[in-house]
Amino acid sequence: MSIIVKNISKTFGNFKALDAIHFQLPANNLIALLGPSGCGKTTLLRIIAGLEQADHGEVSFQNADLLAFPANKRQIGLVFQHYALFKHMTVFDNIAFGLKVKPKKYRPSHQEISKKVHELLKLIKLENLADRYPRGLSGGQCQRVALARALAIEPRLLLLDEPFGALDAKVRAEMRRWLRNLHDTLKVTSIFVTHDQEEALEVADIIIIMNQGRIEQIGTPDEVFHHPANEFVMSFLGEVNVFHGRRDENHPKLMIRPHQLKIEHAKNKSSLQARAIRVITAGPFVRVELLDENDHNSKRIQVQMTHEQYRSNPVLPNSLVYLSPKDQ
Amino acid sequence: MTRFTDHMPPKFSFKIKFKFKFKEYSVIPGFPLSFSYSLIYLALFVILPLFVLIVKGSELGLSGLLREIFDLRTLLSFKLSLLTALVAALTNACFGTIVAWFLVRTPFPGKKIFDALIDLPLALPTAVSGIVLTVIYAPSGVIGNFFLKHFQIKIAFTPLGIIVAMIFVGIPLVVRTVGPVLMSMESELEEVALSLGANKWQVFIKVILPTIFPSIITGFTLAFARALGEFGTIIFIAGNMPMKTEITALLVYTKLEQHDVASATAIALGMLLLSFLLLLLINLFQSWTSKKVTGV
C-alpha cells in the first residue's frame, strides 16, 4: 500500500468540501478521481499537490509524509486543464524549467538538460517544435508539452486536473489513449481528476468516485461499473432506467441499464407494457426510447441492443411492446 | 466541377502589394463615425496646438532657434528635467509595482480606502500637493528635518525635491497599469512553477516578472511623461535657481512672463522634440517586450 490518504477534511467557510476522505492505493497505478463538479475532487488533488491546506488529515506516499513539505519540495508533477504553459518561453524552455530552477548543487549541466528535454520531446512526439512558443501550438500539443514539463522533474507522483477538459472530442479520445499508453511505459503513479465517467472507465486502473465531499466507491472500472455500491454510483457511471415498483415493498426501486432490457412483442408474467417513441439506428448500437403505458408522466425508458438483435426483432415507432430484464 | 487550381492566382504577379487599405467589411458598427471623430478630436486638441507651437517657434529662424535651445541655461534645464523625470519614473516603476502587487494580492481591512488613496495625486490641485510636499520635505519639515539631521541631505529646494514631486504625481500611473495585469494573471502559472521545484523568488523572476514587464514599461512611460510635463507641484519644492534647480517648464514660464514669446516657444519646441524621441524609443522597446510575452 503506497499512497495513503488519511481522514482528510477541508471546509471553505460553511461549505464542507472534503469530509474525512480516506483511502489506500498501491503505487504505479493510474487513478481517476471521478465525480460531479463541486464534489471536492479538485480540492483533494490540490491538497496532495500542496496548493491547498487540509484542515486535518494525512497524506503519505511511499511512507513519506507529503504534507510536511511545501509544494515546491514535494516533487509532484502537475498538469492543468488550461495547460498553464509559460507563454514567454519556448517549448524547450517550458520543459526545461523544472531542471533549470534546481539548486546549483543538483542542477544538471546544459548538455544534460538538453538531452533530457529532447528525450521528452521525442516521447510527446513534438521534436520539431522545440523552438516554438506556446501560442503557435494546438490544444493537444500544449497539453503534451505541459505533461512533458511535469515529467521532466521525474515526479514521484503525477497529478492531472481535468487534463482533457479543454480539448475537442476527437483530440480528447486520442489523448486518452495516448495517456494510457504513456502510463504503461512510464508507470508513474498518477491521479487524474475528471467529471467524465467514460474517460475514467476507459483510462484508469482504479476509480475513486466522489460526491459531496465523500467517497462513494473505490474499485477497478469493471467493479464500479458492474457492481456499483449505491444508487449514486449506478446513475453516475452511465445511463440508467429507474422503475418505481408498486407491488413489492422490499424493492421500492429498480435500476437497470439500457443494455440490460429486452423488447418482446408478446406479454409474459413480469413484463411492462410500453410504447416505442423513437428508434435510433445510427451508431454502433440501436437505441429505442419508450414510454411506460401505465405511467405517461414518467421519464422515457432507454433500451439498447445490437444491430443483429434489432434485425431479428425490429421495433416500429409508435408500436406497443413488452419490456423485461434480460436473463443475466 | 471546378478544379481548385482554377482559382489560384497566376504565379507571377506584378501588382503592388502594399497598397494601404482600411480594414475589410466588419459587422462591428461605427467605423466611419469613430474614424472621423478621432481625427477631428486629435486635430483640435493635439495637432493644431503643436502646429502653432512649431510656427511660433520658427519665427526666430533656424539660427535663432538653435541659439535659444543651445543656451547654457536652457540645456541645463533640459538635463535637469530629463534626469529627474527619469529617476522619478524608474523609482515609480519599481515601487509602484510593489504597491500594485500588495493591493492585488493581499486582502486587508480598509483596502478600499487605501485603493482610493492611490488615485489622489491625480485629483489633487498641483498647487496644493506642491505646498504640502514642500512643508514636509523642507529643512524645517518632518521628513526634511530628519534627513538633514541624520544624513546631511537637503531634499526640498534641490533636484531631490523635484524628484519627490515627480514621484508623487506618477505613483497612480504605474499602480493602475500594473495592477489589472497582475490581477488577470492565471494563478495556475505560479502553481505549476512551484510544483516544478521553483522557490518563490524564482517564481517571481522567471514567471511573474516577464508577464507583467510590458505593463511596467507602460506605467514607466506614463509616469515619465507626466513627470516631464509637471509644473505646479514642482515649482513650490524646487527652489527654482537658474542653472541649478530650474526645470524647463519653469524656464518657459519665466520667458513668457518677460513677454519673450519667441524664445519661450523655441525652448518648448526643443523640449517637445527631445521628449517625443524618448517616448518613441520607450514605446518601441515596450512593443518589442510585449511581443515576446504575448505574441501580439
Side-chain angles (χ1 to χ4, degrees), chain A residues 81-233:
Chain A
Q81 181 176 5
H82 296 289
Y83 333 125
L85 293 180
F86 306 125
K87 292 180 198 66
H88 57 285
M89 293 181 199
T90 60
V91 167
F92 182 96
D93 289 332
N94 263 284
I95 298 174
F97 186 89
L99 302 171
K100 286 184 177 170
V101 297
K102 281 190 181 191
K104 266 220 165 72
K105 256 196 294 179
Y106 308 105
R107 195 184 306 159
S109 69
H110 277 294
Q111 289 90 331
E112 285 170 316
I113 291 179
S114 173
K115 191 170 161 247
K116 176 96 196 173
V117 172
H118 280 108
E119 276 170 23
L120 285 161
L121 280 166
K122 205 168 164 183
L123 187 73
I124 60 170
K125 301 192 177 70
L126 291 180
E127 289 149 291
N128 49 345
L129 299 185
D131 297 324
R132 287 266 193 100
Y133 283 88
R135 59 178 178 271
L137 304 183
S138 71
Q141 289 170 334
C142 280
Q143 201 53 295
R144 279 185 278 166
V145 174
L147 196 65
R149 179 178 62 179
L151 290 172
I153 59 167
E154 290 175 5
R156 299 192 277 180
L157 194 58
L158 186 63
L159 305 180
L160 309 99
D161 189 2
E162 300 270 2
F164 313 130
L167 305 172
D168 57 61
K170 197 163 175 227
V171 182
R172 203 163 157 154
E174 279 168 28
M175 286 290 287
R176 274 184 204 167
R177 262 164 244 147
W178 180 77
L179 178 71
R180 183 63 240 186
N181 287 338
L182 191 71
H183 183 265
D184 290 338
T185 1
L186 298 178
K187 293 277 178 215
V188 183
T189 309
S190 312
I191 303 180
F192 74 102
V193 155
T194 179
H195 61 264
D196 181 346
Q197 87 283 353
E198 253 179 70
E199 191 168 293
L201 291 171
E202 185 182 320
V203 176
D205 296 312
I206 299 166
I207 301 181
I208 301 173
I209 298 162
M210 290 182 62
N211 186 32
Q212 296 181 341
R214 291 170 161 280
I215 291 178
E216 299 280 352
Q217 191 176 4
I218 300 178
T220 64
D222 186 78
E223 278 163 10
V224 294
F225 188 80
H226 292 292
H227 308 286
N230 55 40
E231 219 181 295
F232 174 83
V233 175

Side-chain angles (χ1 to χ4, degrees), chain B residues 200-213:
Chain B
K200 289 190 175 159
W201 184 240
Q202 287 171 318
V203 173
F204 180 76
I205 293 293
K206 288 176 181 263
V207 177
I208 299 170
L209 200 58
T211 313
I212 61 172
F213 196 60

Side-chain angles (χ1 to χ4, degrees), chain A residues 46 51 71-72 75-78 80 82 84-89 97-98 100-102 133 135 149-150 153, chain B residues 186 188-200 202-203 206-207 210-211 291-296:
Chain A
R46 291 176 63 83
L51 305 174
N72 57 353
Q75 217 186 336
I76 288 179
L78 262 184
F80 285 114
H82 296 289
L85 293 180
F86 306 125
K87 292 180 198 66
H88 57 285
M89 293 181 199
F97 186 89
K100 286 184 177 170
V101 297
K102 281 190 181 191
Y133 283 88
R135 59 178 178 271
R149 179 178 62 179
I153 59 167
Chain B
E186 303 166 71
E188 288 179 353
L189 287 179
E190 292 163 57
E191 290 170 352
V192 160
L194 272 180
S195 79
L196 292 169
N199 59 38
K200 289 190 175 159
Q202 287 171 318
V203 173
K206 288 176 181 263
V207 177
T211 313
K291 199 171 184 172
K292 269 202 95 173
V293 174
T294 59
V296 185

